[in-house]
């Protein structure tokens, strides 16, 4: 299998999430820069190896067709906006996505700055979130995030494309969403109400038993099982973020999967409900404001990307018909000139 990007890197204390759009006419510049990204990562990481700096670059569906000729990942498509009876998951612009992780913030900042500067006017940042580790890997709602992430071989199987799409084996699909929390409403709830909304105990992170856990809890709705009992897994690398000045507090969701349909089903069950109308209790206090789906190609593909698409040739213009010769004007008995 070709070398994957660092999608299986361990959880870190700091992260930067950047969403960019490729400006019209900027495709060639972005395409030419892709092989240079690995070198920029190495140049920053070399000076601080203890930071564990990694960067994952994802490409959106529309941008893929603008940047590459030839085949495309089998399941790559634009983010599918969802609307339920009470909740909404919007789709927002995004052609490129950078997920930069390290132990501390400043290596993430330095690498993000370098890559964006290299893109120059060819690509524009439309969303930036700086995530941080909060207490013992808890989100701002007070619960541990990522408890059920697969490990080892199970992680590779859940996250990396395999032989089912051989042209893109080793790649991964990344869904991202920025959620804003109403912390006043959340803290007004009792601890028991919060635990029932999540489906876990807050103190020790133990999942509630089936008799206690509500069917519309977050854990229940995001647990996907096949008819034979096999659980479909994804890799979550969510991070808390916030701004005291703006009064914004939230969770940045980043979910990697070999099949984006798994993540999409989780989100559908959250927003629409299962059955419809029984949506995720957490959405009563947590609102998605962005949504994007990206394919994360292998490091090998970024080092040697497919060629740019050839511009469409203008359609051939049919020769003009010669002037018609009329025997008459066809009006009563009048005839045309001879």
């Amino acid at each position: 299998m070709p070398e994957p990007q660092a999608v299986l890197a361990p959880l870190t204390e700091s992260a930067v999430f950047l969403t960019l759009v490729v400006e019209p006419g900027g495709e060639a510049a972005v395409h030419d820069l892709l092989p240079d990204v690995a070198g920029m990562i190495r140049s920053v990481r070399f000076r601080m190896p203890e930071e564990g700096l990694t960067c994952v670059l994802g490409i959106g569906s529309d941008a893929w067709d603008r940047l590459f000729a030839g085949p495309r990942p089998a399941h790559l498509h634009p983010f599918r906006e969802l609307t339920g009876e009470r909740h909404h998951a919007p789709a927002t612009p995004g052609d490129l996505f950078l997920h930069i992780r390290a132990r501390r913030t400043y290596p993430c900042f330095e690498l993000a700055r370098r890559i964006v500067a290299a893109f120059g006017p060819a690509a524009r940042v439309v969303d930036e979130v700086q995530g941080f580790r909060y207490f013992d890997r808890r989100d701002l709602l007070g619960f541990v995030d990522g408890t059920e992430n697969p490990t080892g071989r199970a992680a590779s199987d859940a996250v990396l494309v395999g032989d089912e799409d051989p042209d893109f084996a080793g790649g991964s699909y990344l869904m991202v969403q920025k959620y804003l929390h109403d912390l006043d409403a959340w803290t007004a709830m009792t601890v028991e109400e919060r635990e029932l909304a999540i489906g876990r105990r807050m103190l020790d992170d133990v999942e509630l038993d089936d008799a206690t856990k509500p069917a519309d809890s977050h854990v229940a709705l995001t647990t996907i099982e096949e008819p034979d009992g096999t659980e479909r897994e994804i890799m979550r690398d969510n991070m808390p973020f916030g701004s005291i000045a703006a009064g914004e507090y939230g969770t940045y969701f980043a979910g990697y999967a070999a099949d984006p349909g798994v993540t999409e089903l989780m989100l559908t069950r959250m927003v629409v409900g299962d059955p419809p109308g029984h949506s995720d209790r957490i959405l009563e206090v947590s609102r998605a404001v962005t949504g994007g789906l990206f394919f994360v190609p292998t490091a090998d593909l970024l080092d040697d990307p497919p060629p740019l698409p050839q511009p469409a040739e203008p359609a051939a213009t049919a020769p003009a018909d010669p002037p018609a010769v009329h025997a008459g004007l066809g009006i009563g008995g009048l005839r045309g000139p001879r």
Side-chain angles (χ1 to χ4, degrees):
M1 179 180 292
E3 182 183 357
Q5 293 190 63
V7 296
L8 295 174
L11 300 175
T12 56
E13 283 74 19
S14 300
V16 170
F17 304 95
L18 286 180
T19 307
L20 303 92
V21 294
V22 177
E23 299 286 16
E27 293 84 2
V30 169
H31 183 276
D32 290 346
L33 182 70
L34 294 179
D36 298 336
V37 172
M40 286 186 271
I41 298 170
R42 289 192 297 269
S43 68
V44 178
R45 183 169 54 204
F46 181 78
R47 291 179 292 151
M48 49 191 87
E50 73 284 354
E51 292 293 330
L53 177 67
T54 63
C55 175
V56 167
L57 188 150
I59 302 170
S61 179
D62 293 341
W64 190 277
D65 294 334
R66 295 166 60 194
L67 293 173
F68 306 130
R72 51 184 279 129
H75 300 300
L76 181 59
H77 54 260
F79 181 91
R80 291 169 176 159
E81 190 166 321
L82 289 169
T83 300
E85 291 183 5
R86 299 191 309 278
H87 306 299
H88 179 60
T92 49
D95 292 326
L96 304 174
F97 190 83
L98 295 174
H99 181 192
I100 304 175
R101 291 172 277 186
R103 180 168 168 261
R104 287 179 286 184
T105 301
Y106 75 90
C108 300
F109 173 84
E110 174 63 12
L111 181 58
R113 185 189 64 80
R114 288 193 184 198
I115 295 176
V116 171
F119 281 134
R124 172 171 50 91
V125 176
V126 293
D127 190 57
E128 174 187 4
V129 171
Q130 297 194 20
F132 52 83
R133 179 175 173 176
Y134 194 60
F135 292 103
D136 50 339
R137 300 213 179 276
R138 296 179 184 269
D139 57 24
L140 295 183
L141 301 180
F143 286 82
V144 178
D145 204 347
T147 301
E148 296 299 326
N149 275 350
T151 59
R153 177 61 181 272
S156 299
D157 291 344
V159 168
L160 300 180
V161 174
D163 294 339
E164 69 276 9
D165 192 7
D167 288 337
F168 298 100
S172 187
Y173 293 90
L174 172 61
M175 180 185 288
V176 296
Q177 291 178 286
K178 180 165 64 176
Y179 284 88
L180 297 180
H181 304 321
D182 184 345
L183 291 185
D184 289 338
W186 180 250
T187 55
M189 297 166 60
T190 66
V191 171
E192 181 181 9
E193 289 172 331
R194 295 181 225 174
E195 291 178 338
L196 292 174
I198 298 296
R200 289 184 177 276
R201 294 205 298 258
M202 181 179 287
L203 181 61
D204 58 13
D205 191 39
V206 173
E207 186 173 334
L208 301 180
D209 60 67
D210 290 341
T212 307
K213 180 174 55 189
D216 59 354
S217 67
H218 182 67
V219 169
L221 288 173
T222 57
T223 299
I224 308 298
E225 289 189 355
E226 298 290 355
D228 63 0
T230 302
E231 185 173 339
R232 301 294 302 275
E233 296 179 304
I234 67 171
M235 179 72 74
R236 298 170 177 84
D237 206 336
N238 306 344
M239 295 289 277
F241 68 91
S243 168
I244 305 299
E248 291 186 347
Y249 310 97
T251 297
Y252 202 92
F253 168 79
Y256 291 95
D259 178 0
V262 178
T263 321
E264 290 171 327
L265 179 56
M266 293 178 179
L267 182 59
T268 301
R269 287 162 58 107
M270 288 175 61
V271 174
V272 177
D274 185 26
H278 295 266
S279 51
D280 196 327
R281 293 189 186 192
I282 200 174
L283 297 183
E284 301 300 326
V285 297
S286 187
R287 174 174 57 93
V289 294
T290 69
L293 179 66
F294 303 88
F295 184 72
V296 177
T298 61
D300 294 337
L301 188 146
L302 290 182
D303 286 341
D304 185 17
L308 279 164
Q310 294 298 313
E313 294 184 3
T317 303
D321 292 331
V325 178
H326 298 284
L329 297 176
I331 303 176
L334 296 178
R335 299 182 63 85
R338 294 179 179 232

